[in-house]
């Protein structure tokens, strides 16, 4: 039996510095540790992602295949608005990658093909159809990692927004829900991150035995408490939040926290500090650094010093789905 697995990722799963990349990269590592040869294919948007894919290639025992988009992101999304597809699917669709899948991948003996999001349904469907057309004896099993119930996330966005975004988010929630249902029908297995996500999926999308739990883990050798990992002196209290700071749930979390909670903290502990560590902070997030005791770092090379210097971690999410890697990391660091 073939020990080759193909991972089709919606983004380059390296470096592991944000939720989906962390999950996919460590899944690849786990498969390699179990003796599988793993090939990775994905779309790439620029030279930086091309280098990231090259760096990933050095870390795996298989091959990587990157395909540049032929049209800019704004045009893909604009066309998506006037189609029956979700914007998520339109955003990540790359015909060059699809052609490669239906030729190279369907002609090779992969045990399974793992697709890392429901937005990649078109690729999974194309691979299945081509394998069936060729009547291959080595048709790969189709595995799709939803991670979270994305359709519900978009529904939450709609509830938290005003016109016209609320209409756009409702459209996305409806179309992603249809996409998730279609994925279940063609996949051998669909993965969600927790039983609570499966229960929600069964209630709002479809109930199926194909949908199973695949939780997140944590590298406790990397994320570990410092020798003296937090201060109990009020004069040194430091609260920490980490994450990609142009991601809506993260933005909403820190804006809510600094408005509703932080003034009460400062009132009781005037020297307390709050660190927001993460890449791509929006202008609204950057502006928080004007408030007493708040630091907005932007991108950091190493997140560990921030965990190990913190007194406590906050995860004040008002809109989110699934399990937050940042919470697992903070717990592993003893916060």
């Amino acid at each position: 039996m073939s020990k080759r697995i193909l991972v089709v990722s919606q983004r380059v799963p390296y470096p592991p510095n944000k939720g989906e990349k962390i999950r996919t990269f460590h899944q690849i590592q786990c498969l390699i540790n179990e003796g599988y040869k793993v090939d990775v294919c994905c779309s790439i948007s620029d030279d930086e992602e091309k280098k990231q894919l090259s760096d990933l290639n050095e870390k795996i025992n298989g091959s990587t295949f990157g395909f540049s988009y032929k049209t800019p992101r704004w045009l893909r999304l604009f066309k998506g608005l006037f189609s029956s597809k979700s914007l998520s699917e339109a955003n990540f669709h790359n015909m060059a990658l699809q052609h490669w899948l239906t030729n190279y991948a369907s002609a090779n003996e992969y045990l399974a093909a793992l697709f890392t999001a429901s937005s990649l349904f078109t690729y999974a469907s194309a691979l299945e159809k081509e394998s069936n057309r060729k009547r291959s004896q080595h048709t790969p099993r189709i595995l799709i990692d939803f991670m979270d119930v994305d359709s519900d996330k978009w529904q939450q966005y709609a509830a938290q927004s005003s016109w016209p975004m609320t209409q756009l988010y409702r459209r996305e929630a409806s179309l992603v829900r249809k996409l998730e249902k279609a994925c279940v029908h063609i996949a051998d297995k669909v993965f969600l991150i927790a039983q609570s996500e499966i229960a929600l999926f069964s209630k709002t999308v479809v109930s199926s035995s194909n949908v199973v739990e695949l939780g997140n883990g944590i590298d406790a050798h990397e994320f570990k408490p410092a020798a003296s990992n937090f201060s109990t002196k009020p004069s040194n209290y430091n609260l920490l939040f980490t994450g990609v700071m142009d991601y809506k749930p993260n933005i909403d979390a820190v804006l809510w926290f600094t408005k509703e909670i932080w003034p009460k903290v400062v009132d009781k502990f005037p020297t307390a500090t709050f660190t927001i560590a993460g890449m791509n902070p929006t202008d609204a997030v950057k502006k928080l650094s004007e408030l007493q005791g708040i630091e907005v770092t932007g991108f950091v090379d190493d997140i560990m010093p921030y965990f190990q210097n913190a007194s406590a971690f906050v995860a004040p999410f008002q809109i989110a789905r699934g399990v937050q890697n940042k919470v697992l990391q903070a717990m592993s660091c003893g916060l």
Side-chain angles (χ1 to χ4, degrees), residues 2 6 9 18 29 51-52 56 60 85 91-92 97 99 112 135 147 150 189 214 218 234 242 265 272 287 321 324 327:
S2 172
L6 176 66
S9 179
K18 59 186 295 186
Q29 279 197 319
K51 183 182 183 306
Q52 291 170 349
L56 175 65
I60 67 175
K85 293 184 177 181
N91 183 38
F92 292 106
L97 194 159
H99 284 160
R135 300 183 182 276
M147 305 186 196
D150 268 353
K189 292 293 179 185
L214 183 63
I218 190 72
T242 64
V265 175
K287 193 172 178 61
R321 282 254 51 91
Q324 303 297 317
V327 174

Side-chain angles (χ1 to χ4, degrees), residues 113-115 117-118 121 124 142-146 183 186-187 189-191:
L114 171 63
F115 298 84
S118 62
F121 166 77
I142 302 296
L143 311 175
I144 306 178
D145 189 7
F146 285 178
C183 285
I186 70 163
K189 292 293 179 185
V190 166
F191 303 125

Side-chain angles (χ1 to χ4, degrees), residues 28 31 38 42 44 65 119 130 183 221 223 235 256 291 325:
I28 292 169
L31 289 167
V38 180
C42 60
I44 51 178
F65 305 88
S119 60
E130 185 64 15
C183 285
H221 295 291
F223 292 93
S235 61
W256 179 88
L291 301 177
N325 282 297

Side-chain angles (χ1 to χ4, degrees), residues 68-114:
S68 297
Y69 288 109
K70 300 301 182 184
T71 55
R73 183 172 184 265
W74 70 265
L75 184 55
R76 299 196 302 273
L77 292 175
F78 182 76
K79 289 181 177 179
L81 275 176
F82 297 95
S83 73
S84 59
K85 293 184 177 181
S86 69
L87 293 183
S88 301
E89 189 176 4
N91 183 38
F92 292 106
H93 188 252
N94 184 338
M95 190 56 72
L97 194 159
Q98 184 171 325
H99 284 160
W100 179 86
L101 269 176
T102 54
N103 290 286
Y104 179 89
S106 62
N108 284 270
E109 296 182 4
Y110 285 108
L111 174 64
L114 171 63

Side-chain angles (χ1 to χ4, degrees), residues 40-52:
V40 178
C41 74
C42 60
S43 295
I44 51 178
S45 300
D46 50 36
D47 289 341
E48 181 182 2
E49 290 189 349
K50 188 177 294 185
K51 183 182 183 306
Q52 291 170 349

Side-chain angles (χ1 to χ4, degrees), residues 63-286:
S63 302
T64 57
F65 305 88
F67 302 88
S68 297
Y69 288 109
K70 300 301 182 184
T71 55
R73 183 172 184 265
W74 70 265
L75 184 55
R76 299 196 302 273
L77 292 175
F78 182 76
K79 289 181 177 179
L81 275 176
F82 297 95
S83 73
S84 59
K85 293 184 177 181
S86 69
L87 293 183
S88 301
E89 189 176 4
N91 183 38
F92 292 106
H93 188 252
N94 184 338
M95 190 56 72
L97 194 159
Q98 184 171 325
H99 284 160
W100 179 86
L101 269 176
T102 54
N103 290 286
Y104 179 89
S106 62
N108 284 270
E109 296 182 4
Y110 285 108
L111 174 64
L114 171 63
F115 298 84
T116 66
S118 62
S119 60
L120 305 182
F121 166 77
T122 301
Y123 301 146
S125 178
L127 178 60
E128 181 198 43
K129 289 177 182 177
E130 185 64 15
S131 296
N132 290 338
R133 187 186 71 80
K134 291 180 177 179
R135 300 183 182 276
S136 172
Q137 294 181 343
H138 302 283
T139 301
R141 299 186 70 194
I142 302 296
L143 311 175
I144 306 178
D145 189 7
F146 285 178
M147 305 186 196
D148 312 323
V149 184
D150 268 353
S151 55
D152 186 76
K153 178 191 71 177
W154 293 111
Q155 197 69 48
Q156 289 185 56
Y157 284 12
Q160 294 276 344
S161 303
S162 55
W163 191 91
M165 295 307 297
T166 184
Q167 295 301 115
L168 190 65
Y169 289 145
R170 283 174 182 164
R171 174 188 186 274
E172 190 70 1
S174 176
L175 293 175
V176 169
R177 193 174 296 116
K178 292 179 181 177
L179 195 62
E180 290 167 336
K181 193 171 184 177
C183 285
V184 171
H185 289 153
I186 70 163
D188 293 280
K189 292 293 179 185
V190 166
F191 303 125
L192 283 166
I193 205 165
Q195 285 297 325
S196 58
E197 294 292 298
I198 293 176
L200 176 67
F201 191 82
S202 297
K203 180 179 179 181
T204 61
V205 184
V206 65
S207 179
S208 172
S209 59
N210 287 356
V211 182
V212 298
E213 180 183 7
L214 183 63
N216 271 358
I218 190 72
D219 185 349
H221 295 291
E222 178 182 2
F223 292 93
K224 58 186 177 182
S228 174
N229 82 303
F230 63 84
S231 173
T232 57
K233 297 179 180 179
S235 61
N236 294 328
Y237 283 154
N238 171 248
L239 305 185
L240 175 66
F241 181 91
T242 64
V244 178
M245 295 315 304
D246 60 357
Y247 179 51
K248 186 174 176 63
N250 289 343
I251 298 169
D252 183 80
V254 297
L255 293 180
W256 179 88
F257 180 78
T258 52
K259 179 182 178 182
E260 302 292 338
I261 305 300
W262 184 241
K264 300 173 185 178
V265 175
V266 173
D267 185 57
K268 188 168 184 179
F269 305 106
T271 60
T273 56
F274 176 39
T275 302
I276 302 169
M279 69 180 81
N280 304 331
T282 63
D283 289 340
V285 175
K286 290 177 182 177

